[in-house]
Amino acid sequence: MTYVVAVLLGLVAGVLAGMFGVGGGILFVPTLVALGLGQHDATGTSLLAIIPTAVVGTWRQARYDNVRWRSAAAIGLAAVVAAQGGVALAESLSGDTLRRLFAALLVAVAIQISWRARRTDT
């Protein structure tokens, strides 16, 4: 049953990633935690699961000329370097603390998206 849910999660995340550029951590981490993984394991598993989604999504978006390669390279290189520190920081935190920080991040993102959507509607 866990694998069926994981496959369904992958399908939903793939569609959302292709449409909006999101889906990885936002969907994978909470679902993996709900399936019984610890916060640290869910985070690491999510990062690996994002790779094929990102590759295929980028390939398809590039066909529509929607990828700005220089910007992506700059962001990607900075993220690779910063991820090392992020992993070290995550490993120094308890699973509960990491889960709470992740929840706060999700709330902050939701507020930002809502605020921007509201601003453009007026």
Side-chain angles (χ1 to χ4, degrees), residues 39 96-112:
Q39 186 70 33
D96 287 340
T97 300
L98 190 59
R99 188 174 306 114
R100 286 185 180 101
L101 288 171
F102 185 77
L105 172 67
L106 292 179
V107 169
V109 169
I111 289 169
Q112 179 202 28

Side-chain angles (χ1 to χ4, degrees), residues 9-25 27-28 45-61:
L9 170 63
L11 292 171
V12 170
V15 169
L16 292 175
M19 288 177 60
F20 303 118
V22 299
L27 293 175
F28 289 159
T45 302
S46 170
L47 288 169
L48 180 58
I50 290 169
I51 293 171
T53 305
V55 168
V56 172
T58 301
W59 172 68
R60 292 285 296 160
Q61 288 289 348

Side-chain angles (χ1 to χ4, degrees), residues 73-88:
I75 292 168
L77 288 173
V80 164
V81 172
Q84 302 302 314
V87 169

Side-chain angles (χ1 to χ4, degrees), residues 2 18 25-26 30 40 53 66 69-70 75 81 83 87 89 95 104 114:
T2 300
I26 291 173
H40 291 94
T53 305
N66 292 333
W69 294 102
R70 286 186 181 165
I75 292 168
V81 172
V87 169
L89 179 59
S114 297

